[in-house]
Structure formats: C-alpha cells, structure tokens
C-alpha cells in the first residue's frame, strides 16, 4: 500500500492559497520512534512511502534515516527550495519527485513568493544529474492561473516528465463566489484549448505529459472502470507526526478521516475501508472519475451543494473534451504515430490524483 509520511508540519514558504506552517497543528514534528514505523511498514509486502509535510526537506536528516532503515519504494513531495540538500545516493533511490510549481514565473511567484520560480527550476535542473525517475510539476490552479498557458509552459520547459494540477478547493467554500464562477468559465475554456494543443502535439508523434489527460484517456480507451484515483481509503493512507493514520494527508483534524494508528493497526485492516458515497455513488461518470476527492465527498457541507456541483462540472467538462478527442487518438495509435503504451501511466500510485 501507499503511505504519505508527514515528517513535519513546518514549511519554509507561505503560499497565498495555503499559508505555510500549520501553526494550529497539535503535532508539529514526528514524535514516535522510527522502530515503530519500521515494524508497521514491515507488515506490508509492497509498501510505497511518500515524504510529505509541511516541507519534508526541512527534515532531510529524517528522510535519510527512514530510507536507510525501511525497505520501500520512495516518493517525495517538495516545494523545491531545498532540493540541493539531498545527497546523490538518495536522489537515485526515489521513484518519483513531485515539485510544487504553479506555471509561469509571474504566476508561481505571485502565489509562492518572489524568486521562487527561478530557485525551483535551478534546483530541478541540478538534480537531473542524479535523478532519473519521474519528475512531476505539481500545480495548484487558482484565480491567477491560466491553465492553458501555465500547464503548457511547464510541459515544454524540458525539465519535467509530467505535469499535474489540482484546483484550489478554497475557491468552492460555501458554494463559491461570482469571481470563482467567472474564473471556472475561463478554466474550462482553457481545458478545451489545452486538449486541442495536446492532440496537435500527438499528430507530430509527441504526447505531452499532462497527467489528467493521460489517466482519463487510459480509462476511456480501456473502458475499464476506475476506483477513487488517489487511492484514499482504498490503498492510500497518511501517517501523521503522532503516528495516527488518516485517509488523506491534508485533513488530519477531522475525526471522520482518522482510521487507525501505527501502534495498534495492521496495514491489512486499512485496505478498502472507505469509499465515496452519494452523489458520486450513482453518478454516470463514476467509472471514469472514481469520485474525485474522498474528503470533499465526506464533508459535502463544507462546500455546499452549489460548490460540489461546480467542482463536478469541471470534471464533466474535462471528460467530455477528452471523449471528443478519443476517435483521433485511437487513429493516431492505429497508424503508429503514437504508442498506446504511453497511456499506461502511472506505473504505481505516484500521488497524482489524475482528476483535478
């Protein structure tokens, strides 16, 4: 199974849509002995550990200690500022590194702080000397974002293998504002343009690594229904600094998200312990979407019916655009212009939720 390991709740940035260090967090730093974690993970025959925070590289010493102690596949979530701290020996062991970057320089710096974009790109290029795994640009799409311009910019930098984005869910609080609704119209329009650009590149034999497009297209090609894409409650869980196990790393404060503890719970007890309910359970797009976000589904009152419908409308628009492109994609595969194998992604659950 897959475990988000929260090493610290501290962060060295204060992004506008996040705020940085969770000052109100009850447990800021990893509190339990590493031996307890090792014993818990040892019960899993095929574990994947994703370092998460806060900013996990504020505890690069602990990253190294875990990797030295526990056999697993490893993933790293980072804002990229401290990537230079990772020794080459450890870089080579990561299966995937996800770097938080939100698109063009002016957009990233507006969200994350002046000069952040340049520092991220410099560090990303630097680690390529030692890291040959999957390097993913992990975007947040919010009010300053132009999804067409920002995703295409990152895909064509020659730095990242894949680009994934998530919508800023704060926008949908209590149904969202008129500003949110206006931005969503431009977002959906940008998705349409981006799908067209994606197919245009395919005609030249190149498949740009847009994770939402690749993941959804794979399902549309195979017609094989998917479970919740992120795996939350299925085979994906988070371990908080206290050792508590939750369904998702970003919402540990909610009681309904807590499902166990590394002190008392075995990994096999967690498998398939939660799934989205209504309205997802009876939605005609469930087989493609999988339910999008377990937390939003379980806490529908947080966004309200209107906010929930807005979120779902973006998923439906995205799927419809890719469905419309499917006949040409099939033809390009049949003609040998592109390979169907490119859609067999990700190899493992690499923390790309696929559905934005």
């Amino acid at each position: 199974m897959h475990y988000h390991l929260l090493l610290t709740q501290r962060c060295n940035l204060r992004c506008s849509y996040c705020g940085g260090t969770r000052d109100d967090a009850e447990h800021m730093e990893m509190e339990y002995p590493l031996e307890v974690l090792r014993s818990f993970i040892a019960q899993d025959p095929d574990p994947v550990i994703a370092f998460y925070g806060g900013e996990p590289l504020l505890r690069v010493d602990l990253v190294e200690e875990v990797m030295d102690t526990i056999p697993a596949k490893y993933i790293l979530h980072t804002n990229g500022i401290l990537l230079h701290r990772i020794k080459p020996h450890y870089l080579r062991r990561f299966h995937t590194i996800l770097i938080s970057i939100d698109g063009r320089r002016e957009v990233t710096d507006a969200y994350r702080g002046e000069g952040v974009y340049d520092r991220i790109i410099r560090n990303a290029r630097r680690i390529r000397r030692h890291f040959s795994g999957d390097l993913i640009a992990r975007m947040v799409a919010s009010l300053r974002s132009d999804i067409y311009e920002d995703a295409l910019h990152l895909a064509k930098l020659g730095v990242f293998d894949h680009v994934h984005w998530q919508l800023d869910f704060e926008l949908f609080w209590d149904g969202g504002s008129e500003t949110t609704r206006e931005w969503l119209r431009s977002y959906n329009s940008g998705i349409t343009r981006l799908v067209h650009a994606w197919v245009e590149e395919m005609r030249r034999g190149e498949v740009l690594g847009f994770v939402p497009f690749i993941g959804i297209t794979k399902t549309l090609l195979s017609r094989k229904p998917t479970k919740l894409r992120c795996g939350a409650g299925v085979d994906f869980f988070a371990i908080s600094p206290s050792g508590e196990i939750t369904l998702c790393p970003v919402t540990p404060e909610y009681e309904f998200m807590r499902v166990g503890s590394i002190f008392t719970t075995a990994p096999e007890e967690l498998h398939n312990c939660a799934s989205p309910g209504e309205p997802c359970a009876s939605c005609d797009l469930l087989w493609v979407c999988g339910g999008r976000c377990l937390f939003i589904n379980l806490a529908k009152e947080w966004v309200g019916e209107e906010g929930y419908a807005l979120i779902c409308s973006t998923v439906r628009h995205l799927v419809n655009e890719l469905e419309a492109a499917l006949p040409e994609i099939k033809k390009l595969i049949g003609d040998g212009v592109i390979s169907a194998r490119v859609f067999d992604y990700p190899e493992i659950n690499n923390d790309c939720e696929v559905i934005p």
Side-chain angles (χ1 to χ4, degrees):
M1 293 203 297
H2 186 112
Y3 308 95
H4 269 60
L5 185 61
L6 279 75
L7 301 182
T8 177
Q9 303 270 24
R10 292 183 297 121
C11 188
N12 52 343
L13 293 180
R14 297 195 71 86
C15 304
S16 60
Y17 45 68
C18 174
T21 297
R22 297 188 61 171
D23 297 314
D24 60 343
E26 185 178 354
H27 305 280
M28 291 296 294
E29 307 289 338
M30 186 168 154
E31 300 170 353
Y32 50 83
L34 199 55
E35 177 58 29
V36 176
L37 179 66
R38 190 199 67 77
S39 297
F40 171 79
I41 297 294
Q43 300 173 68
D44 190 323
D46 191 23
V48 178
I49 294 176
F51 294 113
Y52 202 84
E55 171 48 52
L57 293 184
L58 288 171
R59 293 301 314 272
V60 70
D61 59 322
L62 195 50
V63 168
E64 294 177 356
E65 189 175 0
V66 170
M67 294 179 78
D68 286 342
T69 306
I70 301 174
K73 294 185 181 75
Y74 281 100
I75 291 171
L76 172 66
H77 280 262
T78 177
N79 60 32
I81 300 299
L82 303 176
L83 270 172
H84 60 281
R85 291 188 176 182
I86 309 178
K87 299 181 182 74
H89 167 69
Y90 296 99
L91 277 174
R92 286 190 284 268
R93 291 184 57 195
F94 282 109
H95 179 280
T96 302
I97 296 177
L98 300 98
I99 301 180
S100 298
I101 183 170
D102 298 320
R104 296 159 293 167
R105 178 183 287 105
E106 61 269 27
V107 175
T108 297
D109 285 2
Y111 289 146
R112 295 180 169 270
E114 186 176 352
V116 168
Y117 174 94
D118 288 333
R119 293 174 70 182
I120 291 171
I121 296 302
R122 182 168 58 249
N123 276 341
R125 294 188 190 280
R126 180 183 294 156
I127 68 168
R128 276 305 198 185
R129 290 176 289 184
H130 305 289
F131 174 67
S132 59
D134 192 8
L135 190 61
I136 302 172
R138 180 66 161 73
M139 300 171 54
V140 170
S142 195
L143 294 178
R144 293 179 181 269
S145 304
D146 180 320
I147 194 62
Y148 174 81
E149 297 289 348
D150 291 315
L152 205 57
H153 169 80
L154 293 174
K156 293 198 167 188
L157 272 178
V159 175
F160 300 103
D161 300 297
H162 293 92
V163 178
H164 181 56
W165 60 90
Q166 275 293 331
L167 300 178
D168 176 5
F169 63 78
E170 293 282 353
L171 297 177
F172 303 97
W173 175 274
D174 201 23
S177 65
E178 183 53 40
T179 301
T180 294
R181 293 165 188 269
E182 182 179 345
W183 178 78
L184 278 180
R185 287 190 284 271
S186 70
Y187 170 79
N188 284 337
S189 175
I191 288 293
T192 299
R193 293 179 64 201
L194 197 59
V195 170
H196 292 167
W198 191 55
V199 174
E200 180 63 33
E201 292 292 330
M202 285 188 203
R203 295 175 188 135
R204 304 185 185 100
E206 181 178 4
V207 180
L208 296 177
F210 297 133
V211 173
F213 294 0
I214 291 171
I216 293 172
T217 299
K218 177 182 179 180
T219 299
L220 293 176
L221 287 168
S222 70
R223 313 310 287 186
K224 181 180 178 181
T226 183
K227 292 185 177 181
L228 189 66
R229 298 278 188 168
C230 70
V234 180
D235 56 4
F236 169 105
F237 300 90
I239 301 173
S240 76
S242 67
E244 193 168 51
I245 301 170
T246 64
L247 295 169
C248 178
V250 298
T251 54
E253 64 271 29
Y254 290 87
E255 183 64 35
F256 61 79
M257 298 296 283
R258 301 169 185 168
V259 292
S261 162
I262 61 171
F263 296 93
T264 59
T265 308
E268 62 185 17
E269 298 175 54
L270 300 169
H271 199 256
N272 289 318
C273 70
S275 61
E278 297 295 347
C280 295
S282 57
C283 177
D284 63 306
L285 277 189
L286 181 64
W287 72 279
V288 180
C289 171
R292 188 186 181 275
C293 175
L294 184 61
F295 169 70
I296 294 296
N297 182 270
L298 295 177
K300 286 184 283 289
E301 70 281 358
W302 193 82
V303 293
E305 288 186 17
E306 289 185 75
Y308 205 88
L310 284 176
I311 295 170
C312 293
S313 72
T314 67
V315 178
R316 190 170 293 275
H317 178 81
L318 172 57
V319 173
N320 286 344
E321 291 299 316
L322 290 169
E323 187 88 69
L326 200 62
E328 183 167 3
I329 293 173
K330 287 180 176 179
K331 185 176 188 305
L332 291 168
I333 293 171
D335 291 345
V337 178
I338 60 173
S339 170
R341 289 193 300 273
V342 76
F343 300 105
D344 292 333
Y345 178 88
E347 175 194 10
I348 62 171
N349 183 345
N350 62 359
D351 289 7
C352 286
E353 302 95 330
V354 177
I355 304 295

